[in-house]
Amino acid sequence: MNAPSVLRMLSAYVGKERFLKGVSLYLKDNMYGNTVTNDLWKGIAAATGRPQITNCYSTGLINSNALGFDVPKLMDSWIKKTGFPVVTVTETSTGIRVRQDRFLETGIAEEKDNETLWSIPLNILTQDAKGKPVVDRTTLLETREQYFPLDTSKTFKLNAGTNGIYRVLYISERLSKIAQEILKSDSCFTLEDKLGLVKDCMALSKAALMRLSSALNLIDAMRQEEEYLVWSTISKSLDDISSIWKDRTEIHEVLDEFCRSLFKPIVKKLGYDYSANDSMDITQLRTTAISHCVVAKDTDVVNELRRRFDHYMKTGDDSKIPADLESATYRVAVEYGGRDEYNAVKDIFQKSPTPSAKIGAMYDMALEH
């Protein structure tokens, strides 16, 4: 288990101030001495007041002063056991039933490999009467399965802020409602929530625990998103899914069409030319969108990059091929051109003074031949 991720989860659960105070106590108590991991947990537990809690649940704001945290017990399963869980959420009109199982890329682990029970901070996000987000960070799932009262007629999401190291599997109806909330201009979901939702849905689809259509519907709801980090996560997730179906032409064509519908509007909005005034996010988003359109065989984008490479071949002027689009342009030249284009890219690999051009040319020649 990744240590920074575990500490981030613990910090979110006990609260940042208590976490830092606990680290300070740990350092003071063990100054110039040797320590073991449990000493850190004891320091953080001391900062929370030490009383023990089990499953204290509230749909309102947390009164953390009334709570204590059994930190060593909470952390043992995360640092001493292999893997991490998937949390499956089913609903009734009055609450949710939550179950934990060990998650594998191939799905839920078999019974013999599914014995670990984690202490899972559920971090349930709900909304108050005014529609403002409220996060309950007191609720722990410590058994295989447990019921929690909750108004399921309203928006809710587990693992608020995506601090917990686990996947969350919702029923398709809930995922549709989450997608509707994402569409709102005043959505209660943070950037971290959106990133976590995309990663969870695509990983669960890849593991055959969720229908791919449900995951794609969630991504479709994010097409107005402006944050590059979200698009980067979507891009990588779609690449992973596409690689699974690379031998199924009919499925690949549907995925390509979906990718074109997502990324081409971004290309139209941002264009092909880079400016010194562009933010890093805009620069990266433009490159990602154009590159995805090339992979998805968008005719307009392919033709534009071919036109730019043709200009280079005729004049030797590469000013119309921005450094950020070298790889995408060389790929188009090799994939859609003939022997002359291939030799031109090969020549770039052999003679270009810039490492980025060499790497792009080498990669694209290998990709297509």
Side-chain angles (χ1 to χ4, degrees):
M1 188 64 67
N2 184 282
S5 297
V6 172
L7 293 176
R8 179 171 177 262
M9 178 174 66
L10 177 59
S11 175
Y13 178 56
V14 303
K16 184 177 180 180
E17 290 185 6
R18 285 182 172 80
F19 179 81
L20 293 176
K21 181 180 178 182
V23 173
S24 179
L25 290 173
Y26 158 73
L27 293 173
K28 289 179 181 178
D29 290 345
N30 298 282
M31 190 178 296
Y32 308 119
N34 296 322
T35 65
V36 294
T37 303
N38 209 46
D39 293 325
L40 175 59
W41 306 152
K42 289 178 180 178
I44 296 172
T48 71
R50 288 190 185 274
Q52 305 299 302
I53 63 168
T54 52
N55 284 309
C56 177
Y57 186 84
S58 167
T59 55
L61 291 169
I62 306 167
N63 180 9
S64 296
N65 293 326
L67 301 176
F69 304 89
D70 187 354
V71 177
K73 179 183 177 183
L74 170 68
M75 300 309 293
D76 272 356
S77 59
W78 295 102
I79 64 172
K80 295 181 179 180
K81 301 294 183 180
T82 301
F84 63 93
V86 54
V87 171
T88 303
V89 185
T90 53
E91 303 179 20
T92 69
S93 59
T94 57
I96 56 175
R97 182 163 294 280
V98 184
R99 176 187 170 89
Q100 62 166 297
D101 295 280
R102 184 182 175 191
F103 176 75
L104 300 175
E105 285 191 352
T106 53
I108 292 175
E110 296 180 5
E111 186 174 352
K112 62 183 177 64
D113 298 317
N114 193 23
E115 297 177 351
T116 301
L117 290 177
W118 287 267
S119 295
I120 305 175
L122 294 181
N123 295 340
I124 302 176
L125 182 151
T126 56
Q127 291 177 302
D128 63 17
K130 296 181 179 180
K132 300 295 183 181
V134 177
V135 180
D136 174 9
R137 301 192 186 277
T138 67
T139 308
L140 278 177
L141 175 64
E142 298 180 289
T143 58
R144 178 66 66 192
E145 191 170 345
Q146 192 166 344
Y147 176 83
F148 299 97
L150 186 69
D151 184 356
T152 55
S153 66
K154 297 180 179 179
T155 297
F156 75 86
K157 177 188 177 293
L158 274 62
N159 201 11
T162 317
N163 293 302
I165 311 169
Y166 55 92
R167 304 290 185 196
V168 183
L169 175 60
Y170 299 98
I171 59 175
S172 57
E173 292 82 359
R174 175 55 51 187
L175 202 58
S176 296
K177 291 179 180 178
I178 288 174
Q180 292 171 12
E181 177 65 26
I182 288 174
L183 286 169
K184 297 179 181 178
S185 58
D186 59 346
S187 171
C188 65
F189 298 137
T190 64
L191 171 62
E192 291 79 10
D193 287 322
K194 294 175 184 178
L195 294 175
L197 284 165
V198 172
K199 290 180 179 179
D200 280 0
C201 287
M202 299 308 280
L204 292 167
S205 295
K206 192 175 179 180
L209 295 176
M210 176 187 291
R211 292 177 63 88
L212 178 57
S213 58
S214 296
L216 295 181
N217 284 337
L218 180 80
I219 289 176
D220 190 61
M222 298 185 182
R223 60 173 59 247
Q224 301 302 321
E225 180 61 49
E226 296 182 351
E227 289 283 351
Y228 168 70
L229 281 176
V230 175
W231 283 109
S232 175
T233 302
I234 290 173
S235 171
K236 292 174 182 176
S237 298
L238 290 173
D239 284 344
D240 286 344
I241 291 295
S242 294
S243 67
I244 295 174
W245 299 103
K246 61 182 179 181
D247 296 326
R248 295 286 299 275
T249 303
E250 69 280 9
I251 296 177
H252 224 282
E253 288 177 350
V254 173
L255 288 173
D256 282 348
E257 183 179 358
F258 180 70
C259 287
R260 291 194 294 269
S261 75
L262 283 177
F263 290 101
K264 189 169 183 178
I266 299 176
V267 177
K268 288 183 176 180
K269 178 181 178 181
L270 300 181
Y272 295 83
D273 298 316
Y274 295 75
S275 166
N277 296 323
D278 288 341
S279 67
M280 182 60 70
D281 280 358
I282 291 296
T283 296
Q284 292 177 310
L285 181 55
R286 178 187 290 111
T287 303
T288 296
I290 292 173
S291 299
H292 248 286
C293 283
V294 168
V295 174
K297 300 177 174 59
D298 182 85
T299 303
D300 292 336
V301 174
V302 167
N303 287 341
E304 174 61 23
L305 296 187
R306 289 189 71 179
R307 183 185 68 79
R308 289 170 178 249
F309 193 79
D310 287 345
H311 173 79
Y312 162 73
M313 289 186 65
K314 292 175 182 177
T315 66
D317 175 18
D318 63 358
S319 62
K320 294 185 180 296
I321 305 176
D324 293 273
L325 292 183
E326 285 173 345
S327 182
T329 304
Y330 300 158
R331 174 172 182 157
V332 166
V334 172
E335 184 174 357
Y336 295 92
R339 175 57 59 180
D340 290 343
E341 284 78 8
Y342 179 83
N343 286 335
V345 173
K346 182 179 178 181
D347 196 52
I348 291 171
F349 166 67
Q350 293 174 333
K351 299 179 181 179
S352 176
T354 63
S356 63
K358 284 180 175 290
I359 293 171
M362 178 177 63
Y363 173 79
D364 292 313
M365 285 190 296
L367 189 66
E368 298 301 328
H369 289 270

